[in-house]
Amino acid sequence: MEAVILAGGYGTRLRPLTYKIPKPLIPIANKPMVMHIIDSLPQKVEKVILAVSYKRDVLQKYLEENPPEGRELVLVEEKEPLGTGGAIKNVEREISGDFLAFNGDVISSLDPSVLTNTLIEKKAGAVISLWRVNDPSHYGVVEMRDGWIRRFVEKPRLNEAPSNLISAGAYALSYDVLDLIPPGRVVSLEREIWPILVEKGMYGMEFRGYWTDAGTRERVLEANSLILQGMGKKLIAGNGSEILGNVTEHTSIGKNVIIDGSAEVSNSIIMDGCILENGSKVVDSIIGPEERIAGRVIGEIFCTGYSNVPKN
Ligand code: GTP
């Protein structure tokens, strides 16, 4: 079986970090988002297809240096991003039957084999994972009957939402779905393909545990915190890092980071090779690779796009 991971978006809400690295490579608990998804795949997935576009070369280099064990990995490029549906159509030649598809920025406790098993059991055209939220007014919300999806309502008013269930960005799709997607142009799965699939039989599966679509600073930090809590850790640090300052929960520190004695860090992601000087303070922030921080960084995505760390 194949799994397609959508990994070609611009990640505009995570700029300036995504000027430097593509969103799927942003580390959550020191592991790139895309690797969290790959590691969650059931064993029957033998081939992982990454639909890439923006910063393809950076993704390719990372995956060549860190290949996932025991699975074939294929990168398929769109010259320009074709949208979530167009990207899936563009990888058609790599798919041999029913398949899994994921948004590349979903961090969750979902077991994807539940989706593929349900696809077979229910003889559905698609099975979509669903997550329950308190306020669905910012999401695509589903209306369901007996597990079958009747319609999607985009960003409803709170009192008009048909349910509290939203799409969690992971799907099992029957091979036939590929025939529904027009080739060679931008296509949105959510806007163009789901409404057709609802007519053909689209089943929804709610799951519990944790879920976040890590598309903004707040959500990336939430995902980081969720994973660290799951590991029972307040903080993790990669090889070669030297932490002298005060670091509080939930913080991930990459490799070869120096946090000087009077520096303070909380609820943040500090990427590889950073130096936090004495007197610096980093709170609720993501610090891109190889930055030198001397002052206060509060609630920011900090990435200058170049290294000012002395190399020796
Ligand atoms: P924003 O610009 O901040 O909205 O981020 P994004 O470009 O990643 O868009 P969004 O969060 O809606 O995308 C959800 C997932 O689909 C992400 O994993 C994206 O990488 C992926 N994605 C979005 N658009 C495309 C596309 O045109 N092609 C491919 N291959 N992937 C896409």
Side-chain angles (χ1 to χ4, degrees):
M1 174 175 249
E2 292 90 15
V4 181
I5 302 177
L6 299 172
Y10 290 114
T12 53
R13 291 166 296 161
L14 286 168
R15 286 176 179 167
L17 184 57
T18 45
Y19 286 133
K20 195 169 195 178
I21 51 173
K23 182 162 65 173
L25 289 187
I26 293 176
I28 305 291
N30 287 354
K31 178 159 95 174
M33 286 186 202
V34 68
M35 299 309 280
H36 282 276
I37 298 177
I38 292 175
D39 289 348
S40 79
L41 294 172
Q43 268 201 324
K44 65 184 166 197
V45 174
E46 289 151 358
K47 181 163 148 188
V48 178
I49 304 157
L50 236 62
V52 295
S53 184
Y54 178 66
K55 294 220 174 282
R56 173 233 162 102
D57 48 335
V58 185
L59 267 156
Q60 183 161 2
K61 183 167 182 286
Y62 176 85
L63 289 161
E64 276 168 9
E65 289 168 0
N66 304 275
E69 265 174 45
R71 304 183 208 264
E72 185 187 354
L73 183 79
V74 184
L75 266 68
V76 180
E77 183 175 14
E78 297 140 59
K79 290 274 172 281
E80 290 293 324
L82 287 171
T84 46
I88 288 184
K89 184 70 176 174
N90 193 52
V91 306
E92 185 170 16
R93 64 179 182 278
E94 300 289 346
I95 298 177
S96 62
D98 297 347
F99 60 102
L100 283 162
F102 298 85
N103 287 356
D105 55 359
V106 164
I107 299 292
S108 81
S109 56
L110 172 75
D111 171 4
S113 57
V114 174
L115 303 178
T116 51
N117 294 342
T118 310
L119 188 76
I120 297 165
E121 252 170 53
K122 299 286 174 188
K123 297 189 174 61
V127 178
I128 180 169
S129 58
L130 299 174
W131 183 252
R132 192 173 290 277
V133 292
N134 290 331
D135 176 5
S137 58
H138 303 291
Y139 300 93
V141 183
V142 296
E143 182 179 321
M144 307 231 290
R145 186 180 295 167
D146 301 330
W148 295 95
I149 292 174
R150 310 274 297 179
R151 66 184 176 120
F152 286 86
V153 186
E154 201 50 41
K155 300 192 174 84
R157 285 196 196 151
L158 199 50
N159 57 355
E160 288 168 10
S163 76
N164 278 16
L165 293 169
I166 62 165
S167 164
Y171 328 98
L173 302 175
S174 69
Y175 189 53
D176 302 343
V177 168
L178 292 167
D179 292 336
L180 303 176
I181 310 175
R185 69 166 171 88
V186 174
V187 182
S188 159
L189 276 183
E190 297 79 5
R191 283 190 292 278
E192 287 187 61
I193 307 305
W194 291 165
I196 308 173
L197 261 173
V198 163
E199 299 297 315
K200 292 184 179 293
M202 191 171 193
Y203 200 82
M205 289 286 300
E206 184 184 351
F207 70 100
R208 304 280 163 102
Y210 61 86
W211 174 85
T212 180
D213 62 336
T216 61
R217 174 184 58 84
E218 291 87 346
R219 296 295 193 75
V220 168
L221 293 174
E222 184 189 331
N224 186 61
S225 168
L226 285 169
I227 298 285
L228 289 188
Q229 284 176 60
M231 296 162 82
K233 294 191 172 178
K234 291 180 176 173
L235 106 102
I236 52 168
N239 289 342
S241 287
E242 203 177 322
I243 302 170
L244 304 170
N246 183 25
V247 180
T248 52
E249 62 201 34
H250 286 100
T251 294
S252 294
I253 294 167
K255 286 184 280 197
N256 303 319
V257 171
I258 297 171
I259 299 185
D260 281 337
S262 68
E264 286 176 47
V265 187
S266 76
N267 191 43
S268 294
I269 294 174
I270 315 291
M271 293 177 64
D272 295 350
C274 287
I275 297 176
L276 273 59
E277 293 183 3
N278 276 323
S280 63
K281 182 168 183 168
V282 175
V283 179
D284 300 338
S285 295
I286 305 170
I287 310 291
E290 310 211 328
E291 299 290 347
R292 179 183 280 268
I293 306 292
R296 290 160 68 90
V297 181
I298 315 286
E300 272 186 53
I301 299 173
F302 189 97
C303 184
T304 56
Y306 56 87
S307 166
N308 51 5
V309 177
K311 298 258 189 293
N312 48 23

